[in-house]
Amino acid sequence: MTTDSHSGRTGEQPGVFPRHLLDAESLTLAQLETILTLAARFKKERAAVREVQQSSQSVPPPPQRNLLAGRTVVTLFFEASTRTRSSFETAARALGAGVIALQKEGTSLSKGETLADTAKNLEAVGVDALILRHPFAGTPHQVAREVKVSVVNAGDGQHEHPTQALLDALTLREALGDLKGRTVAIVGDIAHSRVARSNIHTLGKLGAKVRVAGPRTLLPIGIEKLGCDVMHSLDAALDGVDAVMALRIQQERISDARLPSTRDYSRLWGIQQRHVDRLPAHAVVLHPGPVNRGVELASDVLDGPRSRVMEQVDSGVAVRMAVLALCLRAITPAEVAA
Amino acid sequence: MSAVFTPGTGPQTGRTWLVSGRVIDSKSGLDAVRSVLIEDGKIKLVREAPPDAGERENARVIDCANLLILPGFVDLHVHLREPGEEGKETIETGVRSAVAGGVTTLVAMPNTKPVMDSAAIVRLVQSRGREAGLAKVLCSGAITRGSLGEALSDAAELRDAGVVVLTDDGRPVMHAGVMRRALEYATDLKLPVMIHAEDLHLSSGGAMNEGPVSTRLGLPGVPAAAEVAMVQRDILLAELTGAHLHVAHVSAAGSVRAIRDAKARGLKITAEATPHHFTLTDEAVAGVPSGYPNAPAGIPYDTFAKMSPPLRGESDRQAIVGALADGVIDAIATDHAPHGPLDKQVEFGCAMNGITGLETSLALTLSLVRTGELSLLAAVDRLTYGPARALHLPGGTLSVGVAADVTVVDPERVWKVDSKLLHSKSKNSPFLGWSLKGKVLRTFVDGREVYRLEDR
């Protein structure tokens, strides 16, 4: 039977935040609001501290410093990553937690142990949370079934990347206010994108209409069943949107014959300044990074006034602080609401 | 419940009466309450009147009231793993699992280590099967040397060693030219060729059926076209060569259409389907409970729901059930594929394909009878005479004079699938925890009661 700890679906226990963050799909609207509220607060506090530091006055202790004092989190990354891992580690340290960073090569199988062996070994070390990135979809779900500590999905294969969608939502709310009735276009390699899947679930719950668009070779069958519209041209996708999110094109897409070249991709799907000029005045441009300059986004778009790409990075730390504080139950949803 | 296994070799001497059970023999079309006399390992008599007092003397008498008396099941598709992967299954544990599931004859797949592409390996498997003394173990042989899809294996040697079918199961022969020559060569030898239909370029990297569920779970998909394209290719090659083609584990509606059409055109095509493909859909990978009565919810990314070909959509499942009902699919075969923890308790993407199936096949088949999707006579046929006829094997019938391979079933018996009660060495079944209806009580091979379930 599916139990709470198996699926991370703990919405039926009011007031208790789920121990795991495995996917955005199973988050309730109330849980999303709790994370975003707390993240917005953390982000503001961090900005205030930065301002004080820059004015070279004596630095006051950040108010969130001790929420995770005495706790230890491990970042267990089976895939190379710099920004997500450093973002999680910065977030954990900002809350006073100890951090162990583990970069693994290959799968549990390649070491001759089962997934449970790998997970239970780390649990036995005495950590409080496993922040897991893995090239295969579903691994955080499988690990969460085996351990008692919190499991936070930092990206699993082509499945989900929930904290990325949360930081996108925070960034979009800051730019646009309430997302109810807003339209967001996600453009690019939808098939291989965990960012796209997490955003479809997250933005949809927050009331936004999501469109996905990209070459047919990169649109997975049945994606509309997740709750989005599918567009087959960039002009159709961008028509009247409040925000556009471009996704990274991997070189692999050329070797597996999904695309002829990045050049040909950008001819059809690259977002140029002329596209941005046709957007409503308030519309913004996002990208989860790292950006291939001139492929997904023209350089002037990336560096231009509509771009919120650097803002996304800043939101990322705040969102991950909120997720860790809530999953480790250092703060309750009621305290966030108060 | 405890299982009693009584291995032995050669026909059992003496007489056994199976009294007043519902005898179903699809070869003759018989479906009636009858008593069956087994004598010296053979079916001696099937008649309406129960034995009288004189006949009961010096005979073992088993009351079969309210039970089914069926020909022993014939399973065309079993992975016994020996030689090479005895940690997953041995021939002995495999045939224990078989007779506990009512299977009296099975065809062992050739993807052992080393591959069954020579008489030496075939004879090893046959002799281990005989030593185990439970189910009859028949061997397949590899189509190509090492099942590498390149050079033809010594098929005449394999046939003379007793191989009943050629297959590279687990892999397709991707090279159409090699497949064409293999079909021609097999035709001279009067051997059928069984295909694992999968275009490896289309399935490349896939971990489950391609569809809305794979999209939601973010798992790379295998389109149904990967199977259908190969079924269609090999039907064309069978037509070109006059070969007998047997399509293993049909999973897609498109394959069913192609096979139906080929049969209608008079080609020598036979086919099998597995209980998991007619019971489950790809929703099982997401942990969604199946439509099976009282099926428990599963868990997302359950590697016990990973197999090749993958579980497909509901319309595919219905097409397979329809083809079992009208006989386009000749046989129910389990594709029993034991795997251990290191194969399955790993990331979904790198977990091995396959599940065990010998002990759950009967109950899952009977559930199609209860839902009205399959007649009982057709269900029994697809487990017995259907597969025997498809590959020209002995067995599958209770005709007078044949070897007394008989399975006695309680169709109403409810039991819970429990890893501790399964006899296969491996426990990789997606049906663990399910309550199933229909259980094998006794299995006879050559008149010997090799398996009995005791519970009273």
Side-chain angles (χ1 to χ4, degrees):
Chain A
M1 287 295 286
T2 305
T3 65
D4 294 345
S5 63
H6 284 178
S7 65
R9 289 170 178 83
T10 45
E12 59 274 24
Q13 289 172 267
V16 180
F17 202 82
R19 181 174 296 282
H20 308 302
L21 176 62
L22 303 179
D23 52 45
E25 185 181 0
S26 51
L27 283 176
T28 64
L29 178 58
Q31 289 161 353
L32 277 175
E33 292 290 1
T34 298
I35 298 169
L36 293 175
T37 302
L38 184 59
R41 195 176 303 159
F42 284 155
K43 193 175 173 188
K44 228 176 259 150
E45 287 168 3
R46 279 166 50 80
V49 169
R50 258 199 313 262
E51 210 167 285
V52 172
Q53 283 170 332
Q54 277 159 7
S55 64
S56 73
Q57 294 170 8
S58 67
V59 182
Q64 69 271 17
R65 173 59 75 192
N66 294 315
L67 271 178
L68 291 181
R71 316 287 285 275
T72 306
V73 305
V74 54
T75 52
L76 177 58
F77 275 53
F78 287 85
E79 245 180 20
S81 155
T82 46
R83 66 186 66 203
T84 301
R85 202 175 82 178
S86 62
S87 178
F88 266 110
E89 290 172 8
T90 304
R93 289 202 181 92
L95 295 170
V99 177
I100 302 171
L102 291 176
Q103 179 82 47
K104 294 274 182 176
E105 295 302 321
T107 62
S108 64
L109 190 65
S110 60
K111 298 194 299 292
E113 58 181 15
T114 68
L115 203 53
D117 296 335
T118 309
K120 283 177 177 159
N121 267 295
L122 282 165
E123 187 174 40
V125 171
V127 303
D128 298 285
L130 292 177
I131 297 163
L132 181 64
R133 159 146 317 176
H134 200 285
F136 287 116
T139 308
H141 285 80
Q142 292 174 293
V143 169
R145 291 198 280 268
E146 304 290 344
V147 295
K148 294 182 195 71
V149 302
S150 284
V151 175
V152 176
N153 182 1
D156 64 324
Q158 301 159 16
H159 177 225
E160 283 224 35
H161 191 356
T163 57
Q164 176 70 41
L166 287 161
L167 75 84
D168 291 335
L170 180 61
T171 307
L172 286 172
R173 273 193 168 181
E174 286 172 349
L176 305 172
D178 191 351
L179 299 184
K180 207 160 285 164
R182 299 291 196 174
T183 302
V184 180
I186 305 175
V187 176
D189 183 358
I190 309 298
H192 299 88
S193 179
R194 50 195 175 211
V195 175
R197 285 170 179 77
S198 287
N199 264 301
I200 292 167
H201 295 302
T202 302
L203 298 177
K205 280 175 202 174
L206 294 173
K209 288 189 297 253
V210 179
R211 293 175 186 170
V212 299
R216 275 174 210 273
T217 52
L218 297 174
L219 286 174
I221 186 167
I223 187 75
E224 67 285 352
K225 295 199 172 159
L226 298 189
C228 58
D229 294 319
V230 180
M231 305 283 176
H232 296 288
S233 79
L234 187 57
D235 284 336
L238 297 187
D239 186 34
V241 296
D242 300 291
V244 55
M245 183 184 300
L247 301 174
R248 181 174 169 81
I249 293 296
Q250 309 278 358
Q251 279 300 320
E252 264 176 273
R253 303 289 86 86
I254 290 132
S255 53
D256 67 10
R258 303 269 188 152
L259 292 176
S261 62
T262 52
R263 182 169 162 271
D264 218 54
Y265 172 84
S266 81
R267 190 182 181 90
L268 285 175
W269 298 99
I271 297 170
Q272 316 295 336
Q273 190 59 46
R274 64 187 155 83
H275 296 117
V276 174
D277 290 342
R278 288 206 294 273
L279 297 178
H282 61 269
V284 292
V285 176
L286 278 69
H287 191 298
V291 182
N292 292 304
R293 275 183 185 268
V295 178
E296 303 101 36
L297 296 177
S299 257
D300 46 356
V301 174
L302 176 60
D303 300 330
R306 307 291 193 112
S307 170
R308 290 291 178 279
V309 175
M310 286 305 125
E311 198 64 30
Q312 288 174 276
V313 178
D314 191 19
S315 298
V317 176
V319 153
R320 287 164 183 133
M321 287 169 71
V323 165
L324 290 174
L326 287 160
C327 287
L328 290 173
R329 292 165 183 178
I331 186 166
T332 66
E335 287 165 339
V336 173
Chain B
M1 284 197 305
S2 71
V4 179
F5 294 92
T6 312
T9 44
Q12 172 80 53
T13 55
R15 317 173 87 194
T16 301
W17 275 101
L18 304 176
V19 180
S20 300
R22 183 172 171 185
V23 173
I24 303 175
D25 181 29
S26 65
K27 184 181 183 186
S28 63
L30 175 67
D31 177 359
V33 173
R34 291 285 185 272
S35 292
V36 176
L37 174 63
I38 298 169
E39 188 176 275
D40 296 336
K42 293 198 157 39
I43 303 290
K44 178 75 173 176
L45 207 59
V46 179
R47 70 170 199 210
E48 199 166 345
D52 60 27
E55 288 170 318
R56 285 168 186 259
E57 275 186 36
N58 299 321
R60 193 172 166 217
V61 179
I62 298 168
D63 178 23
C64 294
N66 302 316
L67 303 179
L68 305 177
I69 301 174
L70 308 176
F73 306 157
V74 177
D75 192 335
L76 300 180
H77 203 126
V78 176
H79 297 274
L80 292 175
R81 302 298 186 211
E82 185 179 355
E85 294 184 294
E86 291 84 353
K88 300 182 182 194
E89 194 82 283
T90 62
I91 290 167
E92 196 201 346
T93 59
V95 292
R96 283 165 78 93
S97 185
V99 294
V103 173
T104 54
T105 296
L106 63 82
V107 178
M109 289 296 105
N111 60 339
T112 47
K113 292 177 183 174
V115 167
M116 287 156 63
D117 61 1
S118 70
I121 306 294
V122 168
R123 290 204 187 92
L124 171 80
V125 172
Q126 289 167 334
S127 74
R128 290 276 162 82
R130 274 192 303 274
E131 285 162 24
L134 295 168
K136 294 172 177 170
V137 175
L138 304 178
C139 285
S140 60
I143 301 172
T144 60
R145 208 170 291 277
S147 285
L148 296 175
E150 293 160 6
L152 300 186
S153 56
D154 288 337
E157 174 188 295
L158 289 167
R159 183 202 58 183
D160 292 347
V163 151
V164 297
V165 63
L166 297 175
T167 181
D168 279 354
D169 185 61
R171 299 163 178 248
V173 177
M174 275 301 291
H175 193 303
V178 171
M179 188 62 175
R180 179 228 173 130
R181 300 308 177 198
L183 289 167
E184 287 170 341
Y185 202 82
T187 304
D188 277 344
L189 300 172
K190 298 191 167 49
L191 279 176
V193 175
M194 176 193 287
I195 57 164
H196 169 112
E198 176 182 356
D199 183 310
L200 295 175
H201 299 304
L202 282 171
S203 65
S204 162
M208 68 172 293
N209 182 46
E210 182 175 306
V213 182
S214 68
T215 292
R216 182 163 79 81
L217 294 177
L219 288 168
V222 178
E227 174 178 299
V228 182
M230 284 298 258
V231 169
Q232 290 182 331
R233 183 199 79 173
D234 287 349
I235 285 173
L236 286 174
L237 294 176
E239 186 169 15
L240 175 68
T241 58
H244 173 182
L245 185 74
H246 178 81
V247 183
H249 42 51
V250 174
S251 75
S255 304
V256 170
R257 274 195 298 276
I259 295 162
R260 175 171 282 125
D261 172 67
K263 283 189 160 188
R265 289 192 293 126
L267 303 182
K268 274 185 275 180
I269 310 290
T270 55
E272 64 183 44
T274 71
H276 46 276
H277 286 114
F278 67 65
T279 304
L280 300 171
T281 67
D282 56 1
E283 295 275 10
V285 181
V288 175
S290 91
Y292 191 89
N294 303 318
I299 49 176
Y301 301 97
D302 185 358
T303 58
F304 288 178
K306 183 178 179 185
M307 61 280 290
S308 175
L311 299 170
R312 303 277 185 200
E314 175 61 17
S315 59
D316 296 297
R317 192 195 70 81
Q318 286 177 10
I320 289 163
V321 172
L324 282 168
D326 66 18
V328 163
I329 293 177
D330 305 83
I332 292 169
T334 60
D335 195 5
H336 178 82
H339 286 299
L342 265 182
D343 309 303
K344 284 294 197 181
Q345 290 170 32
V346 294
E347 295 86 345
F348 193 93
C350 52
M352 300 280 268
N353 287 311
I355 61 166
T356 60
L358 284 164
E359 294 169 69
T360 46
S361 172
L362 166 75
L364 295 171
T365 303
L366 288 179
S367 98
L368 297 181
V369 177
R370 276 191 289 275
T371 57
E373 293 169 284
L374 199 60
S375 72
L376 182 57
L377 185 64
V380 170
D381 180 72
R382 309 306 175 244
L383 289 168
T384 59
Y385 189 59
R389 186 185 46 211
L391 295 194
H392 317 296
L393 308 177
T397 173
L398 298 175
S399 306
V400 169
V402 304
D405 299 345
V406 186
T407 295
V408 178
V409 166
D410 182 350
E412 301 301 319
R413 172 78 157 258
V414 176
W415 60 290
K416 192 163 187 177
V417 185
D418 176 346
S419 62
K420 289 192 282 295
L421 298 178
L422 295 176
H423 300 285
S424 171
K425 198 166 189 175
S426 292
K427 312 300 175 187
N428 51 310
S429 166
F431 305 110
L432 292 177
W434 288 39
S435 281
L436 300 183
K437 199 171 182 186
K439 187 98 177 108
V440 174
L441 300 187
R442 299 169 192 273
T443 306
F444 296 85
V445 172
D446 288 329
R448 175 178 289 102
E449 190 188 67
V450 291
Y451 172 79
R452 180 173 76 249
L453 188 69
E454 287 189 339
D455 63 335
R456 286 143 235 168

